[in-house]
Amino acid sequence: MVYDAIIIGAGHNGLTCAGYLAQKGKSVLVLERRDVVGGAALTSEFSPGFKNSEFSYVVSLLDPSVIKDLELAKYGLQIKQRDGASMTFGSHGCLWLPSKLEKSYEQIARHSKKDADNYLKLDEILEGVCKIFRPLARNAPFDVGASLFSQIGNAVNTGWILGNAEPEMRTHVAELITKSVGNYLDQWFETDILKGTLAYSGSVGNFVSPNHPSTAYVLLHHVFGQVNGKTGAWGHAHGGMGSITQALAKSAQASGVTIKTDAEVAGALLNENKIDGVRLATGEEYRSKVVIANCHPNILFGNIIKYDELPEDFCRRIKGYRSESGSFRINLALSDLPKFPQLKAFDVSSEILLNGSNNIAPSIPYIEKAYQDALEFGWSKEPVIEFCIPSLIDDSLAPTGAHVMSLFCQHFRRYLPNSMSWADEKDRAADLIIDTVEKYSPGFQKLIVGKQINSPLDIEEKLNMVGGDIFHGALHLDQLYSMRPVAGAGNYRMPISGLYLGGSGAHPGGGVSGLPGKNCANAVLQDM
Ligand SMILES: Cc1cc2nc3c(=O)[nH]c(=O)nc-3n(C[C@H](O)[C@H](O)[C@H](O)COP(=O)(O)OP(=O)(O)OC[C@H]3O[C@@H](n4cnc5c(N)ncnc54)[C@H](O)[C@@H]3O)c2cc1C
């Protein structure tokens, strides 16, 4: 049989792409190398009676159109918004930002009235900038390497979105995509712990200094989503992130998609400059009119398709694609809710105070030091940590009274110095992270009854995420929009006829948004 489309990888983008193509009557085969679907959006039982999202753990970016078009609610998806946006712990106290803006204002004003006023202004600006970014994210970028005629539609669309924006808002866009998150926040605020809280979002999956140009974009990337219509809010998928990909898989299968697991694609069937199908590691061959890669660009190119089968300029650029996010991920099973003495300062229950993102990133210099230490030693003795306790709003994850904690830590190098290896070091790094939380929560370690640790090497090996990069490649200005993954291949069409990229290595990049998969399906349908 010759399928209309073969998709390499059953991550959430591969499944999204499959669902859209099948809804248009295309025959689709999805091939996944692991024994489960979901890629980085996966729930696993990591300790008896305790389950949690293994990799990605909070949801905001998932586009409402994907939820609606693929009927994900019908297939079991429920997303719950959290009450707390964030709680940041520091040695001189903590900062709570509740979801309601006026309540955050009150909390910031305890530190600085000027910062509280500016926070309201910045919130309005980010809301306005997101209104420009969302349509840009939902549409294919123009391809700088294609003929002007073929790109008129995309170029006009981009010009229309930017042209229609308030001129003042365009200046904010220009700042946010070019400035460092450190410089940007220094312009607005004087309170270190507030700047640390916001700069954390610019450091997630972004292994560079917070003073590096264009890191403010990563802050924006983390606020342009929404939960149940609320901009910038984050929530939990009931049952963990795997419930998103389970719903996507069920939706795709209901539209006729075939999904095969334990099916690693190892080669491409090329005929001159056209792709006719793929070959599995087992030698089986499958044929199709088009092939869509949901896997990392450097797995598609260099591994599945050899470099000498690529045009010279493209080959040089894709070899230079940067991919290392410096992320370390732990799940803990806890016998009880940990106690944080600093929370006594609030007249609110710990269950509410802790149900958002809890950070140990109390200032921009703290984040900068973690980055500099990582360059020298592999990771810092004072690591950047975010932890969430999803069992506070989802009782399906842990036995009654017990909890699960997701810890997501930044600036842990994929490649360690001095011949150190993650196989030897990962328990030591995990212990340091746990000790750091213990400083703010005496007795924390005694509550731990189970662990799941994913070092950058584990992330790379389990998910084929090159360099352990959680976004399939750095979200820097030179790897965004028309330049993602590289100049000349920025609108899902790769330089081999019939070959497309529809994973996080394509516009608009990483995060559980479904947009690379959806936009790629649109490109395929236009061409078919
Ligand atoms: C630790 C971690 C934490 C994160 N936290 C968040 C978060 O909280 N919120 C958020 O929005 N985003 C988060 N992210 C980012 C987000 O999860 C990813 O950007 C996104 O899930 C990637 O989706 P994808 O479908 O593009 O690719 P993937 O999920 O990587 O899926 C690609 C699939 O392709 C398969 N594959 C690879 N090679 C082959 C091959 N040769 N043959 C067949 N199959 C192959 C892989 O096994 C995988 O299933 C996180 C990521 C990680 C790793």
Side-chain angles (χ1 to χ4, degrees):
M1 166 174 186
V2 178
Y3 290 91
D4 287 322
I6 286 176
I7 299 184
I8 306 172
H12 84 282
N13 277 312
L15 295 169
T16 300
C17 188
Y20 276 101
L21 292 177
Q23 281 187 345
K24 292 287 177 197
K26 305 298 173 196
S27 56
V28 184
L29 171 66
V30 179
L31 297 168
E32 167 57 48
R33 69 192 265 275
R34 302 195 78 197
D35 59 359
V36 282
V37 302
L42 181 74
T43 303
S44 57
E45 187 174 55
F46 66 98
S47 183
F50 293 83
K51 61 178 184 169
N52 199 9
S53 308
E54 181 167 349
F55 303 102
S56 61
Y57 55 101
V58 277
V59 60
S60 171
L61 307 174
L62 187 60
D63 201 70
S65 66
V66 173
I67 298 176
K68 181 166 168 282
D69 298 346
L70 301 180
E71 300 183 294
L72 300 190
K74 177 174 151 191
Y75 294 105
L77 178 64
Q78 279 177 51
I79 296 174
K80 293 186 176 173
Q81 197 190 327
R82 312 178 300 187
D83 298 321
S86 68
M87 172 68 75
T88 303
F89 293 95
S91 44
H92 304 297
C94 55
L95 173 69
W96 181 39
L97 298 183
S99 298
K100 289 209 166 65
L101 195 58
E102 58 280 12
K103 299 244 180 224
S104 283
Y105 179 92
E106 285 166 20
Q107 295 300 323
I108 297 168
R110 289 164 70 159
H111 298 260
S112 157
K113 163 89 169 58
K114 181 169 158 248
D115 279 4
D117 291 337
N118 277 346
Y119 186 76
L120 295 187
K121 286 185 201 151
L122 181 59
D123 184 79
E124 209 172 300
I125 287 168
L126 290 177
E127 178 93 39
V129 170
C130 287
K131 285 195 182 127
I132 301 173
F133 265 83
R134 268 190 223 115
L136 289 176
R138 287 176 183 145
N139 285 284
F142 55 87
D143 178 358
V144 291
S147 73
L148 181 62
F149 180 71
S150 73
Q151 294 305 303
I152 278 180
N154 291 336
V156 167
N157 192 31
T158 306
W160 180 257
I161 293 166
L162 288 171
N164 265 339
E166 295 285 322
E168 184 58 24
M169 219 28 100
R170 290 201 294 266
T171 64
H172 292 299
V173 170
E175 265 192 299
L176 274 158
I177 60 175
T178 54
K179 280 197 165 294
S180 76
V181 71
N183 181 222
Y184 187 74
L185 294 172
D186 279 341
Q187 293 176 18
W188 283 96
F189 303 116
E190 58 191 15
T191 308
D192 277 342
I193 197 163
L194 175 60
K195 289 192 271 185
T197 302
L198 299 174
Y200 170 75
S201 293
S203 310
V204 174
N206 196 10
F207 185 65
V208 283
S209 154
N211 296 308
H212 186 277
S214 97
T215 40
Y217 171 74
V218 180
L219 163 72
L220 183 64
H221 193 85
H222 283 96
V223 298
F224 82 68
Q226 49 189 239
V227 172
N228 303 331
K230 168 96 179 74
T231 293
W234 286 80
H236 284 285
H238 186 80
M241 297 297 276
S243 62
I244 297 176
T245 41
Q246 286 302 317
L248 282 166
K250 284 181 195 146
S251 167
Q253 283 165 327
S255 300
V257 171
T258 304
I259 301 173
K260 282 187 198 291
T261 51
D262 290 313
E264 174 158 17
V265 174
L269 307 179
L270 296 179
N271 179 5
E272 301 284 320
N273 188 37
K274 181 175 179 318
I275 191 160
D276 286 339
V278 297
R279 186 181 314 104
L280 299 191
T282 53
E284 271 169 274
E285 293 184 354
Y286 293 95
R287 295 193 172 261
S288 58
K289 293 179 188 156
V290 301
V291 172
I292 298 148
N294 171 211
C295 56
H296 189 290
N298 293 124
I299 295 295
L300 176 63
F301 300 112
N303 185 330
I304 295 173
I305 297 177
K306 307 292 172 255
Y307 288 132
D308 61 10
E309 292 167 322
L310 296 169
E312 200 179 315
D313 273 342
F314 178 84
C315 183
R316 173 176 54 75
R317 289 175 183 143
I318 205 75
K319 279 183 175 172
Y321 185 66
R322 284 170 295 102
S323 186
E324 180 190 5
S325 66
S327 309
F328 195 104
R329 178 79 173 80
I330 305 176
N331 278 328
L332 295 178
L334 302 173
S335 59
D336 202 350
L337 186 65
K339 292 189 173 50
F340 291 82
Q342 288 188 353
L343 301 186
K344 288 186 186 143
F346 303 91
D347 192 16
V348 178
S349 74
S350 296
E351 282 79 358
I352 290 181
L353 292 168
L354 292 173
N355 85 13
S357 286
N358 306 289
N359 300 321
I360 301 177
S363 68
I364 293 171
Y366 182 99
I367 298 172
E368 172 74 37
K369 182 168 184 308
Y371 170 69
Q372 296 298 342
D373 286 353
L375 287 179
E376 202 174 341
F377 309 112
W379 68 87
S380 175
K381 288 202 171 100
E382 295 183 296
V384 172
I385 300 173
E386 178 193 354
F387 62 90
C388 299
I389 310 177
S391 46
L392 282 171
I393 54 173
D394 180 352
D395 61 10
S396 72
L397 301 176
T400 309
H403 286 280
V404 289
M405 181 184 273
S406 316
L407 296 105
F408 193 35
C409 311
Q410 309 304 323
H411 299 337
F412 287 72
R413 290 222 75 168
R414 160 65 186 88
Y415 302 100
L416 295 173
N418 309 324
S419 318
M420 287 153 64
S421 84
W422 275 117
D424 298 333
E425 302 294 334
K426 86 172 184 182
D427 286 337
R428 206 160 66 86
D431 288 347
L432 171 80
I433 292 163
I434 290 166
D435 287 348
T436 308
V437 178
E438 170 90 22
K439 281 187 197 152
Y440 296 93
S441 178
F444 175 64
Q445 307 201 19
K446 293 206 181 81
L447 304 178
I448 299 172
V449 294
K451 279 183 209 165
Q452 179 181 50
I453 305 170
N454 277 304
S455 72
L457 175 64
D458 295 319
I459 292 172
E460 177 175 271
E461 289 184 344
K462 288 187 184 178
L463 297 171
N464 252 359
M465 284 181 161
V466 176
D469 195 305
I470 68 165
F471 294 138
H472 288 200
L475 295 179
H476 297 161
L477 198 51
D478 61 336
Q479 297 192 163
L480 287 174
Y481 204 58
S482 299
M483 304 281 285
R484 192 162 186 87
V486 296
N491 70 357
Y492 310 99
R493 296 164 181 92
M494 297 296 108
I496 289 176
S497 179
L499 179 64
Y500 297 78
L501 183 68
S504 295
H507 172 75
V512 181
S513 71
L515 288 173
K518 178 183 175 182
N519 293 349
C520 182
N522 286 337
V524 170
L525 291 167
Q526 271 168 26
D527 295 351
M528 268 185 159

